[in-house]
Amino acid sequence: MNEIYVTVSGRLVADPEARNTKNGVPFAAFRVASTARRVNRTTGEFEDAGTSFVGVTAFRSLGANVAHSLHKGDPVVVHGRMRVNQWMRQDDTLATSVEIDAYSVGHDLSYGTTTFAKVSRAQVDRTDRLSDEAVQAAHARASGEELDAETDPYVVEDEEAFEPAEAALTNA
């Protein structure tokens, strides 16, 4: 089966959430809002088209770097593997979300400058990491879905408690 790879530019809806999977793999989950701008042929002015919201997950050192580097409102460019999820909500309505397993994340330099600090590179994990329960719970929380604290065994870690990028590689 072929994978779908996409590149999305937009702005972070909230600060990235740093967590670990139940197997101890560090990751950061965040949402990106991307709004298309189109020219109105009648007025000649640019207008906002619809806004798309995409859940993004970055694993291992990429996740650690994202958690320490990005903040709510930052303009970003994300490249990775896309997956569309559908599920039934508790009120029996169908819900759909788009998620990206990020391979590259960075600030969109069309809007400003940033400073780069080199760290070790992440290993490429070939399993379907987006299906991990902790990843799904983080995206559910970010999209406003209600989570039951008793059935969600994962806790949000403080940013200071999140492993530095170098430690994430040595523990992997």
Side-chain angles (χ1 to χ4, degrees), residues 135-154:
V135 174
Q136 294 302 309
H139 284 296
R141 185 174 293 109
S143 66
E145 294 291 323
E146 289 296 318
L147 295 177
D148 184 355
E150 293 179 11
T151 61
D152 182 15
Y154 307 100

Side-chain angles (χ1 to χ4, degrees), residues 93-130:
T93 59
L94 184 64
T96 304
S97 66
V98 176
E99 297 173 4
I100 297 175
D101 181 358
Y103 296 149
S104 299
V105 179
H107 284 112
D108 186 344
L109 299 180
S110 301
Y111 296 96
T113 63
T114 191
T115 302
F116 179 77
K118 187 175 180 178
V119 296
S120 299
R121 297 189 99 166
Q123 291 179 316
V124 178
D125 186 355
R126 302 268 185 225
T127 63
D128 187 6
R129 304 172 295 184
L130 289 178

Side-chain angles (χ1 to χ4, degrees), residues 7 28 45 51 87 115:
T7 301
E45 300 289 322
T51 300
W87 70 94
T115 302

